[in-house]
Amino acid sequence: MYKFALIGRDIGYTRSPNIHAAIADALGFELSFEVCDVTYDLLENTVRGLLDRCDGFFVTKPYKTAVGKLLGADISVNVVRSRDRKCFDTDGDGFVLALDRNFSDWKNRVDGALILGAGGAARAVASALCRNGKQVYVLNRSLMNAVRFTEMCAGSKLYTGQSAQMIVNCTPVGQNGEDVLRVMCVMPQFDYAFDLIYTEDRTPFLRRCAAAGAETQNGADMLMFQAIKGDMILTDTQCDIRRVFDAVQKAVDGSNNG
């Protein structure tokens, strides 16, 4: 029996327990899964407890950078393996797999991408795009955090209106009906729009981009891909990730409709 967990703040909406249960079924292992919704003052003690009682755990907003610092890793962390305290980022791989699945020609059509936000998830997405040879621009409500982002993510630049074919919302703005484009004062003129928010099929951001002609996708596929990659790491398993994705999607869709 493997023991995994998820740590974050204000994550009552999370679908992770169902997703990881479906992954366990697809890969053939038994699993217990714990959700730790904690305030920052409890973060360090909670991380220590998870290292002691779990085989590994997943990290979500807003702690991806903070957990990395606690464990001496200079990356955005979303997976921690307890036995050696090693930190991983599967968000970037999950993001690219979701792009490949939903935007078949994006690698040929995208030269530049605009990232909204400067947190841990934004760093993972930007790094993945840079690895794929794309120019990355960042726009954030805090200029200081945006500048720090460009210093930490080699190849990224501050957004000052440069040409970009893709826009990615890496902020939580939109979970409660807000329009991140209006908040950031950006026009929805892109070929592709991706929102890491997965609790809504179409956020106001995606609706406006679609109305302007963009192909759009929310974060549901990315969530499942990064979870599968994380479980593969924590269980030392190799698999056909797309086959497992199809099985997990079918199981999760069935549970949501049941």
Side-chain angles (χ1 to χ4, degrees):
M1 167 81 72
Y2 285 97
K3 294 182 179 180
F4 297 163
L6 173 71
I7 185 170
R9 188 179 71 208
D10 299 329
I11 53 172
Y13 57 83
T14 184
R15 298 176 186 171
S16 289
N18 288 341
I19 290 171
H20 287 279
I23 296 170
D25 286 342
L27 295 180
F29 64 87
E30 294 185 355
L31 175 69
S32 67
F33 196 91
E34 176 183 358
V35 175
C36 301
D37 194 328
V38 300
T39 53
Y40 187 81
D41 59 304
L42 299 176
L43 178 63
E44 185 171 358
N45 284 340
T46 302
V47 167
R48 288 176 180 171
L50 292 176
L51 289 169
D52 288 339
R53 68 178 181 269
C54 291
D55 296 289
F57 58 92
F58 290 76
V59 185
T60 189
K61 61 97 174 174
Y63 297 136
K64 294 183 178 185
T65 301
V67 169
K69 289 180 179 179
L70 283 174
L71 298 177
D74 188 26
I75 62 170
S76 168
V77 171
N78 79 309
V79 180
V80 178
R81 187 169 61 198
S82 296
R83 69 171 183 264
D84 55 5
R85 300 194 173 195
K86 190 169 182 179
C87 299
F88 302 86
D89 162 34
T90 67
D91 279 336
D93 287 343
F95 172 68
V96 171
L97 285 163
L99 290 183
D100 290 343
R101 184 173 187 273
N102 294 281
F103 304 145
S104 60
D105 200 34
W106 76 274
K107 287 179 180 176
N108 294 322
R109 294 180 59 189
V110 172
D111 296 316
L114 170 59
I115 305 296
L116 303 180
R123 284 179 61 190
V125 165
S127 295
L129 287 168
C130 287
R131 288 195 298 271
N132 278 272
K134 309 306 177 186
Q135 177 61 61
V136 171
Y137 307 104
V138 61
L139 181 63
N140 191 60
R141 285 178 288 185
S142 165
L143 178 59
M144 181 177 67
N145 288 343
V147 170
R148 186 179 298 121
F149 181 100
T150 62
E151 294 170 348
M152 299 177 72
C153 185
S156 63
K157 299 179 180 179
L158 293 177
Y159 180 67
T160 56
Q162 300 95 326
S163 175
Q165 296 76 42
M166 179 182 291
I167 183 170
V168 186
N169 179 32
C170 298
T171 79
V173 178
Q175 284 183 328
N176 299 309
E178 314 96 329
D179 184 346
V180 69
L181 292 171
R182 289 195 171 90
V183 172
M184 298 288 202
C185 299
V186 178
M187 296 299 292
Q189 297 168 344
F190 300 87
D191 296 327
Y192 302 101
F194 194 104
D195 199 332
L196 267 60
I197 293 171
Y198 62 84
T199 53
E200 300 289 337
D201 289 339
R202 284 282 185 93
T203 57
F205 161 72
L206 291 181
R207 288 197 297 270
R208 284 189 64 201
C209 288
E215 295 183 48
T216 64
Q217 178 61 36
N218 73 359
D221 288 359
M222 175 182 167
L223 177 70
M224 286 190 278
F225 276 125
Q226 64 82 19
I228 296 167
K229 294 282 286 189
D231 283 7
M232 289 169 62
I233 290 169
L234 297 181
T235 61
D236 296 314
T237 300
Q238 296 297 317
C239 70
D240 181 338
I241 192 167
R242 289 176 176 82
R243 179 190 62 79
V244 174
F245 175 91
D246 290 341
V248 171
Q249 185 182 51
K250 183 177 180 180
V252 171
D253 287 348
S255 66
N256 289 339
N257 295 329

